[in-house]
Amino acid sequence: MDKFIVDEDLQVRLRNEEDGTSTPIKGGITAQDFEVISTYQKGWLTFAYLRDRQGIWWFNARKNKASLFSRDTGAFRVIDEDYCCDSQYVYLEDQVVPDSDPESFRLLPDTPYFAQDQHYLYVKSSTHFHLFEDIDTNAVIAHHDYCTDKDHLFHMSSSLRYANGEKDEVRAWLQEHHPDVPGWWHDHYAHSAEGATLLKGNWVETQSSIFYRTEWGGTYRREAKGVFNLVRGADRSTFEPLDEQFARDRERVYFQWRTVKRADPDTFQPLGGPFGRDGNHVYYNGYRVGEADARQFEVFSRTEHLGLSKDQHHVYRAEVVRTSQPFGHPDDVLQIIKGADAATFELITPSGSWAVDADQVYLWGKPNKHIDQASFTHLFDADPQSWAMDQNGLYNANGKRTVKGVSGSTFVMLNQYWGKDDHVVFSFVTGSVYKSGDAATFQVTDDIGGAEDALFRYTVEGGTVRKKKR
């Protein structure tokens, strides 16, 4: 194990106890009032909280560097190897958590993943950390990788997600360990969906509550079950569904069962799919798009799941990123496509598989720098395949695939079954190159997949190419 020492030159160093070598610590920590507060082993690396006269430092062994992050030495305390706090903030290692409340912060029992204060749920795995606000922090209970409040269940995978369809997984545990806490796991839950009646689309109501109905768990062998997600805080007397995904009451706008924060219910209007806008702002998936111009904003229909849209200055697509910086939870958020020209951007296919502007080709809304815009040609779509070519090659948007062995400079599409270049024959049905085919003599013979060359006759049967010698 490595050890922190102060050498005869009053320099703080990290000494390797096995070979006796030592390395000076970068960052500016001094020997004055130096103290090791705590150390943590991660593999063969030693991480640590340190103190000197200036304040509290976090030592990052990967960089061999200490960073000063708090001068509140009197109130500072270490909570575990990831969390610490002083009188003002909670920290993740040396990173301050904005608006955190150290006085109410606590690690939740029965889980390695969750902590909370009065503002946030803190979600931490071995590789990810984020804050989650859409939970009642006054009623949080955790059980391994599940976390719940009195109305909604959440599950931790790569990030925290709603898991109301999985309530049966933890119902019995909650009934046994939290029988006196009111919540959805009790028979007399205040917001039971029993007897709910249809309002419109997926919106349903009971005498006391509004729900958004989804389906969960369906497979080809098992029918999906209906899940009733409580629209928390909805005012039944003024609640109004706007379309399949948005609704409002006199105080709020809702996307499915989540509140659309800061949206104006008086001017809000849905734009199709997860898009909406009020008098001043655009929203996607329930999150405000800060850069978008609500007056000039337009959505490319049938691509709502991709988020393809634009205003006068920018083109946008949906990406899974943090909903806020620096620690917002990941979700589908509308982002500017960097470098896209809003004035010339257009879809080539209705699905959004291919698009272009004056300079670039876009594959599912992402710029593809390997495709030549000047020679780009969309060939045809045969769901789920979407074929295109340029002077360099042949491409299929399904799987984002470049077909190996085909020369774009000489490739010719013969019909929606066959194509060829100077050297090989290609089948659009199987997506394969037929090197045994004779490109020089290959020709189609009908419009249902028939073809021939000097050696073989080809037919297409049920998605399979069959060939016979002539």
Side-chain angles (χ1 to χ4, degrees):
M1 181 176 177
D2 295 336
K3 183 178 180 180
F4 294 93
I5 62 171
V6 176
D7 66 14
E8 58 187 13
D9 296 322
L10 300 181
Q11 189 175 37
V12 179
R13 305 176 71 93
L14 185 64
R15 185 173 66 193
N16 186 311
E17 293 290 82
E18 291 187 1
D19 60 18
T21 59
S22 64
T23 306
I25 295 174
K26 297 180 288 185
I29 194 168
T30 70
Q32 291 182 301
D33 300 330
F34 176 78
E35 178 186 356
V36 178
I37 299 174
S38 60
T39 60
Y40 305 95
Q41 288 298 127
K42 297 182 180 181
W44 62 89
L45 298 176
T46 300
F47 294 77
Y49 290 106
L50 310 172
R51 176 188 288 128
D52 71 1
R53 180 167 291 185
Q54 301 169 81
I56 308 298
W57 301 71
W58 168 252
F59 176 71
N60 187 331
R62 294 184 182 90
K63 299 179 180 179
N64 189 42
K65 184 177 181 179
S67 56
L68 178 67
F69 66 92
S70 173
R71 298 185 184 276
D72 189 1
T73 56
F76 180 81
R77 61 187 176 96
V78 176
I79 299 168
D80 69 357
E81 62 185 54
D82 294 305
Y83 295 117
C84 62
C85 67
D86 58 21
S87 61
Q88 290 186 294
Y89 297 107
V90 176
Y91 299 86
L92 177 71
E93 296 179 348
D94 60 338
Q95 299 179 74
V96 64
V97 179
D99 301 320
S100 53
D101 179 49
E103 186 174 344
S104 62
F105 182 87
R106 70 184 182 107
L107 301 175
L108 292 179
D110 199 41
T111 179
Y113 302 111
F114 305 115
Q116 71 161 115
D117 64 17
Q118 65 177 344
H119 303 302
Y120 301 116
L121 180 71
Y122 294 64
V123 184
K124 173 175 64 70
S125 69
S126 59
T127 56
H128 296 87
F129 172 79
H130 58 270
L131 301 175
F132 194 77
E133 296 180 71
D134 200 14
I135 192 169
D136 181 359
T137 56
N138 295 314
V140 174
I141 299 171
H143 181 54
H144 301 315
D145 49 358
Y146 285 99
C147 191
T148 191
D149 59 20
K150 62 182 182 295
D151 301 316
H152 294 287
L153 179 68
F154 306 87
H155 183 251
M156 173 66 186
S157 50
S158 58
S159 63
L160 196 67
R161 60 174 179 82
Y162 279 90
N164 288 326
E166 301 173 30
K167 286 181 175 178
D168 288 341
E169 299 291 325
V170 294
R171 188 186 305 274
W173 183 89
L174 287 165
Q175 290 172 343
E176 177 183 354
H177 292 85
H178 297 277
D180 300 326
V181 178
W184 56 262
W185 52 95
H186 293 302
D187 292 337
H188 301 294
Y189 169 51
H191 298 289
S192 169
E194 186 175 352
T197 57
L198 180 66
L199 273 173
K200 179 182 178 181
N202 295 318
W203 307 97
V204 299
E205 67 174 348
T206 63
Q207 290 185 350
S208 62
S209 308
I210 303 290
F211 300 87
Y212 187 84
R213 187 184 186 279
T214 57
E215 292 188 342
W216 178 86
T219 67
Y220 70 96
R221 292 182 177 179
R222 181 178 62 189
E223 186 177 350
K225 71 174 183 179
V227 177
F228 294 87
N229 304 278
L230 177 68
V231 184
R232 193 148 39 193
D235 177 46
R236 283 187 69 256
S237 64
T238 59
F239 188 84
E240 175 191 4
L242 299 175
D243 69 355
E244 288 293 317
Q245 302 199 61
F246 284 101
R248 66 184 172 192
D249 60 21
R250 63 186 177 187
E251 294 185 353
R252 302 180 185 90
V253 175
Y254 304 95
F255 175 72
Q256 299 180 357
W257 61 92
R258 294 190 284 114
T259 298
V260 182
K261 295 178 181 178
R262 300 176 292 169
D264 176 25
D266 292 333
T267 61
F268 190 88
Q269 59 180 144
L271 298 176
F275 286 98
R277 68 178 166 203
D278 60 18
N280 297 306
H281 298 283
V282 172
Y283 301 86
Y284 182 83
N285 193 32
Y287 305 106
R288 180 182 286 185
V289 185
E291 306 87 349
D293 183 349
R295 296 166 299 178
Q296 304 289 334
F297 191 82
E298 59 181 283
V299 176
F300 291 101
S301 62
R302 295 176 58 186
T303 69
E304 290 88 352
H305 62 293
L306 298 173
L308 292 180
S309 51
K310 69 176 184 176
D311 58 22
Q312 190 173 3
H313 303 289
H314 302 293
V315 182
Y316 304 87
R317 74 180 302 273
E319 295 185 35
V320 178
V321 298
R322 292 188 183 274
T323 51
S324 62
Q325 294 296 330
F327 296 128
H329 69 280
D331 206 344
D332 285 328
V333 178
L334 210 61
Q335 300 284 288
I336 294 172
I337 303 176
K338 294 181 180 179
D341 178 37
T344 60
F345 184 91
E346 61 176 330
L347 296 186
I348 300 300
T349 55
S351 67
S353 56
W354 300 104
V356 297
D357 63 13
D359 300 310
Q360 300 184 98
V361 175
Y362 299 83
L363 177 57
W364 301 115
K366 289 187 176 182
N368 190 310
K369 297 181 179 179
H370 301 292
I371 299 178
D372 176 58
Q373 192 274 352
S375 60
F376 176 80
T377 302
H378 171 247
L379 299 176
F380 70 96
D381 280 10
D383 190 46
Q385 319 304 334
S386 183
W387 295 98
M389 62 176 287
D390 68 0
Q391 64 182 6
N392 301 312
L394 178 65
Y395 312 99
N396 186 358
N398 182 34
K400 302 178 183 178
R401 176 187 170 212
T402 299
V403 179
K404 294 181 180 180
V406 172
S407 170
S409 61
T410 62
F411 184 81
V412 177
M413 173 182 161
L414 301 176
N415 60 16
Q416 293 192 8
Y417 296 92
W418 298 102
K420 66 177 184 176
D421 64 14
D422 283 352
H423 301 287
V424 297
V425 174
F426 178 78
S427 168
F428 288 108
V429 175
T430 63
S432 301
V433 170
Y434 287 83
K435 294 182 179 180
S436 60
D438 179 36
T441 61
F442 187 90
Q443 60 182 351
V444 297
T445 56
D446 58 43
D447 58 0
I448 58 172
E452 64 181 15
D453 60 19
L455 300 175
F456 297 99
R457 287 190 174 93
Y458 303 83
T459 57
V460 175
E461 300 176 13
T464 301
V465 172
R466 302 186 184 279
K467 65 179 183 178
K468 293 182 179 180
K469 285 187 177 181
R470 299 192 60 160

